[in-house]
Amino acid sequence: MEIKILQEKNNPLLKRKELLLEIDHTGRATPSREELTSELMKMFNKEKEKIVIDYILSSRGQPKAKAKVKIYD
């Protein structure tokens, strides 16, 4: 699974980062929230409780998905 950050926005008022991600999951099913959370924990060095996934949308007929994620400080 390869994760690419398409958009990153810092929200200092709510003390979080808001991310739009593109996930390449060639040869695999669309990643679950648990799989994506564990990958983001490694990428950003944060605890599981500080990562909130709003949605994961898979592209039809392609091994790509988009996800909206919030990572709190």
Side-chain angles (χ1 to χ4, degrees):
M1 175 171 34
E2 185 177 324
I3 299 173
K4 180 180 174 186
I5 299 173
L6 298 177
Q7 185 178 19
E8 182 174 350
K9 178 182 167 188
N10 284 322
N11 191 333
L13 183 64
L14 298 174
K15 298 178 184 170
R16 69 182 184 196
K17 285 184 189 180
E18 298 167 359
L19 305 170
L20 181 62
L21 306 174
E22 182 179 73
I23 305 162
D24 185 0
H25 53 90
T26 305
R28 299 175 46 182
T30 303
S32 66
R33 289 177 181 261
E34 291 81 22
E35 289 175 320
L36 184 56
T37 300
S38 67
E39 289 294 321
L40 293 172
M41 286 170 54
K42 295 174 195 172
M43 281 178 66
F44 292 97
N45 199 22
K46 295 284 183 179
E47 298 86 31
K48 183 178 182 178
E49 295 79 27
K50 296 192 177 196
I51 298 173
V52 177
I53 299 173
D54 287 340
Y55 61 81
I56 303 172
L57 296 175
S58 186
S59 299
R60 186 173 183 192
Q62 296 181 4
K64 294 191 178 193
K66 290 198 177 175
K68 186 172 181 185
V69 178
K70 296 173 189 153
I71 301 175
Y72 289 86
D73 291 340

